[in-house]
Amino acid sequence: MNFSALLLLMVMLVQLWPCSPSTQNSSAQNTAESFTAVRRVKRGWLWEPLFATEEQISLDPVYIGQLKSDLDKQDGNLKYVLTGEGAGSIFVIDEYNGKIFVTQKLDREEKPFYTLRAQAISRSTQLPVEPESEFIIKVRDVNDNEPQFLDGPYEATVPEMSPEGTSVTQVTATDGDDPSYGNSARLVYSLVQGQPYFSVEPKTGVIRMASQMDRETKDQYLVIIQAKDMVGQPGAFSATATVTINLSDINDNPPKFQQRLYYMSVSEEAPVGTTVGKVFAEDSDIGSNAAMDYFIEGDNSDVFDIISNSETQEGIILLKKRVDYESKRRYSIQAKAVNKYIDEHFLKEGPFEDTTIVKINVEDADEPPVFIPENYVMEIFEGAMSGSLVGVVTATDPDEDDSPVRYSIVHSMHLKNLFRINEHNGTIITTEPLDREITSWHNITVTATETRNPEKISEANVYIQVLDVNDNAPEFPKNYETFVCENAVSGQLIQSISAVDQDDSTEGHHFYFSLAQEATNYSHFTVKDNQDNTAGIFTGKSGFRRQEQFFFYLPIIIQDNGTPPLTSTNTLTVTVCDCDTEVNTFYCRYGAFMYSLGLSTEALVAVLACILIFLVFFLAILAVRQQKKKPPFSEKMEEFRENIVSYDDEGGGEEDTEAFDISALRTRAVMRTHKPQKKVASEIQSLYRQSLQVGPDSAIFREFISEKLEEANTDPSVPPYDSLQTYAFEGTGSLAGSLSSLGSNTSDMDQSYDYLADWGPHFKQLAGMYTSHSSVRD
């Protein structure tokens, strides 16, 4: 019994020994070691590749293959078990013979294969006799998907006139079927619409040009491409895509003028730049291929010009030079239009240009007079007497009627009228002698007006040059300050001089310097002409004395080279200085100034001392006056400033007897000793009652004010403060009007104040005062 149990255990160990599983016709290698004998036993699965066809619909399970172990004795002792994806639901197995069936419809596009595991178990021992092996069931594809163009609709562009075979674009369709099995996913392309202009490659879907097409004939084509699976066999699925093909423009058309002859006209009054007319050459191309330039050919290109309008492609003819009806009445020009951008591939088609003829008529107009020439340059010598001829201007009417012309000068309000013109013949004369040194050129404007049509006026500029006459003698350019030392030696240079001349010399100025004849014999100085328009002044002796002569005056003659030559005598002042070698200019000027005043140095010092004494005396008087004006209370001024209190209270009117408490203004350190006095409010009320009988000029008021004033003056502890109350509110007005007597011609003595009693309770007190005043006066 124990031996049987041991044998069963050994069999189980042999079956559970590790093995190497395989899929697809692999055999399982099982080895077992026995305690009695060492022997290797071969085991394995036997099956063919398994496939299940998709989209199969059947009420009964469909057989797809069989699993079989080489240990199966066909006695029903083995049990086949299937596990993995879809086991028991999609796939079932006959546990006795290993046949596998599919029970549901499969879709390869959703799941192309299933991975399962098979195992053979002994029914008697319930132990596996074969190790668990993994295998795959592939889903076999059928043609159940239509081709699709995922990128459609398509649009492409190709240049017009492209040669046959030019690639336009490529379309691509996709098929969800298995491309590795059968022809379900093998597509072919064909052209449904677009012949005979386009073609398509069946395998690649490349669309090509089938013929040359002209954009100007038709610029857009609609092509329909079809894609079929199953290599186009009957029953295949298909799909179509639309391709819009546009033809882009190339420059294959030359410009063409719409007219071979244009007629235009222009007025002879038209200014330069006037638009004469427009020409237009039509080009069937578009964009830059239609751009063109216009030119004018022939001899009239100097009179007319043409420009291109880039927006309208028109040629605009402009007036380049003024035309004259009387000179030429008709022009014929040839306009040419040429494409800007020419395609070299189409040069053989001919020149990309065209020409037309433009005839232009000149219209006559009433033109203003014309000066011949337009500008004048005239000359006249300076100093010429009034009425001298300057020149003549001429203007004529270019029209056929040749209207007479009247001349005039446009005078400026700010310039002097130096010229006059004869209104009939254009003769210009002077009104007074001219001076070149003042103005060498005169610019005037002359007008010519038609007598028959005064609105026609033309102008000409006349430039008058005043020619020079030698009428100005040379002179010193400045006032020279010449100094000489007392110990100067003979022949010493003390000054270099030159000259200027206001005249204009065509050959250049040349001046000659010399000493006047009357000063040559006794002069202590000499003049040496340097022959370069300068001269030098030299001493003629050694030693000078200021006490004998302070100044020397040298008359120097300067002559020019004009025709006739002019001379002038210029005086050079030489000052003698008290110096050794170098001249102290300031000291010499000071000595000259004192000499001219006739004062010596000692006299000048005395004058300055007197001025200084007077200034000191004046300042002393001012100091004494300032001392006398010293303000009182100076020792307490700081204390007063510190005790100032500002307030902005306004009084309450004539009934306000206590506007503020003045005790706030008093210094805390100084306590005022109050004398026994009456209450101010009771005093004012008492005085007020008495005033009703005696009036405002009563002695009672004067006594009260005097008492208060005396009290303030005798009290040493009270600072000199004033109490100022301002009553600025005048009220809103009343029926009484103004109480002022400033504008009245009568005095208070002539007026009656009885009417105050009728003004109401507010004026009762005022009425009582003036009524009692009237009673006392009576």
Side-chain angles (χ1 to χ4, degrees), residues 666-680:
R666 299 191 179 99
T667 309
R668 294 182 180 179
V670 181
M671 297 302 295
R672 181 182 176 183
T673 303
H674 296 274
K675 297 189 299 182
Q677 55 180 354
K678 300 178 182 179
K679 193 175 181 181
V680 177

Side-chain angles (χ1 to χ4, degrees), residues 52-67:
T53 304
E54 68 169 338
E55 304 295 341
Q56 284 187 341
I57 301 176
S58 176
L59 298 177
D60 299 324
V62 179
Y63 172 77
I64 60 174
Q66 183 179 9
L67 298 178

Side-chain angles (χ1 to χ4, degrees), residues 654-655 684 687-698 701 753-754 756-757 762-777:
E654 60 184 4
E655 296 182 357
I684 293 177
L687 290 172
Y688 175 72
R689 286 193 297 270
Q690 296 180 20
S691 67
L692 297 179
Q693 287 81 22
V694 299
D697 292 335
S698 176
F701 284 94
Y753 299 97
D754 297 336
L756 295 176
H762 291 288
F763 295 91
K764 181 178 180 181
Q765 296 178 359
L766 185 63
M769 294 173 59
Y770 279 86
T771 302
S772 61
H773 178 70
S774 299
S775 302
V776 172
R777 183 186 59 189

Side-chain angles (χ1 to χ4, degrees), residues 124-349:
S124 60
T125 63
Q126 296 300 315
L127 297 176
V129 297
E130 289 284 359
E132 189 178 55
S133 180
E134 184 179 275
F135 66 95
I136 294 175
I137 299 177
K138 291 187 176 180
V139 181
R140 182 170 291 168
D141 183 50
V142 298
N143 189 19
D144 60 341
N145 290 280
E146 297 179 354
Q148 292 182 350
F149 289 95
L150 301 179
D151 298 330
Y154 298 87
E155 186 172 356
T157 302
V158 63
E160 63 172 331
M161 304 302 294
S162 296
E164 295 183 12
T166 301
S167 175
V168 179
T169 187
Q170 183 179 13
V171 295
T172 303
T174 59
D175 195 314
D177 295 324
D178 188 2
S180 62
Y181 176 75
N183 296 324
S184 299
R186 295 181 60 185
L187 305 178
V188 293
Y189 299 91
S190 62
L191 198 65
V192 178
Q193 178 180 318
Q195 302 91 345
Y197 308 109
F198 302 95
S199 64
V200 63
E201 293 183 357
K203 294 183 179 181
T204 62
V206 175
I207 302 175
R208 299 185 180 274
M209 300 285 290
S211 63
Q212 288 188 331
M213 288 172 286
D214 189 5
R215 186 200 66 82
E216 287 72 33
T217 302
K218 187 177 180 181
D219 61 351
Q220 190 178 80
Y221 293 85
L222 193 64
V223 177
I224 299 177
I225 303 296
Q226 184 185 62
K228 277 189 176 182
D229 58 10
M230 300 291 294
V231 201
Q233 297 177 2
F237 293 110
S238 64
T240 59
T242 301
V243 183
T244 302
I245 301 176
N246 298 307
L247 297 182
S248 60
D249 183 58
I250 62 173
N251 191 8
D252 59 341
N253 294 280
K256 294 291 183 182
F257 279 103
Q258 294 180 339
Q259 299 176 225
R260 288 299 164 189
L261 183 63
Y262 289 85
Y263 291 97
M264 301 177 186
S265 62
V266 61
S267 174
E268 64 175 341
E269 287 186 326
V272 174
T274 300
T275 300
V276 179
K278 299 178 181 179
V279 296
F280 179 66
E282 186 177 8
D283 195 324
S284 300
D285 298 320
I286 59 175
S288 60
N289 295 319
M292 64 189 75
D293 291 324
Y294 291 89
F295 303 94
I296 290 180
E297 296 182 334
D299 299 334
N300 295 320
S301 59
D302 60 334
V303 182
F304 300 96
D305 194 9
I306 189 169
I307 60 174
S308 304
N309 188 327
S310 59
E311 295 182 359
T312 62
Q313 297 298 333
E314 294 178 319
I316 304 173
I317 299 176
L318 304 176
L319 189 62
K320 192 175 181 180
K321 186 174 71 174
R322 293 286 296 269
V323 293
D324 185 16
Y325 175 81
E326 287 72 26
S327 300
K328 190 173 182 179
R329 302 185 179 184
R330 186 173 293 104
Y331 293 87
S332 179
I333 61 176
Q334 181 173 330
K336 181 171 70 174
V338 182
N339 273 136
K340 281 186 177 181
Y341 312 104
I342 299 177
D343 194 337
E344 297 179 355
H345 298 87
F346 296 94
L347 287 176
K348 60 182 179 180
E349 301 294 335

Side-chain angles (χ1 to χ4, degrees), residues 35-46:
F35 291 100
T36 60
V38 179
R39 189 177 60 166
R40 179 174 295 173
V41 181
K42 186 177 181 181
R43 302 284 187 266
W45 287 98
L46 298 176

